[in-house]
Amino acid sequence: KRFFLLRRLKQFNLPVDDLVVVYTTYIRPVLEYAAPVWSPGLTDKQSSQLESIQQRASRIILGKRYTNYTDSCAQLGLQTLSKRRQELCVNFGKKLLNSELFRCWLPPSRGQISNRHTRHCNKLDTVRAKTERF
């Protein structure tokens, strides 16, 4: 349904910049909804399926000027969705770390565990697991 809107606006000869705005306001938020929650659990296949949606949108926007996905992203001023998901997760983590209300969701820092004030006392301990998922 959302691609129909993009195709229809393309038929009305809307400028490329306006089509990019339509994509970033109507389609991309659906693809990135709650990304910090589900992004770490994505498989490569699921990630490529999400990228194919942005690739399809860039094909619609550029039309005959479309060459390949990386060039179209550069031409339209868009990042790949995997880069955006990484940035969203990093920003979420930073906000979580600085939040007093939700700081308890993270493991304690090394300084809180050992009560020592070293150069690495603000780092968080990583969870060690024998699986490839973590």
Side-chain angles (χ1 to χ4, degrees), residues 3 6-7 23 27-28 31 38 42-61 66 68-70 72-73 76 78-83 85:
F3 278 129
L6 198 61
R7 283 190 195 102
Y23 167 72
I27 299 172
R28 191 169 70 183
L31 301 175
W38 52 261
L42 280 180
T43 62
D44 290 336
K45 182 180 178 182
Q46 291 168 338
S47 180
S48 64
Q49 286 174 340
L50 285 172
E51 292 289 342
S52 70
I53 294 172
Q54 180 163 311
Q55 184 177 2
R56 190 180 330 158
S58 61
R59 274 190 189 142
I60 293 170
I61 292 170
Y66 179 84
N68 62 21
Y69 180 58
T70 55
S72 66
C73 283
L76 297 174
L78 299 173
Q79 291 179 325
T80 61
L81 290 177
S82 60
K83 283 184 184 178
R85 280 194 305 273

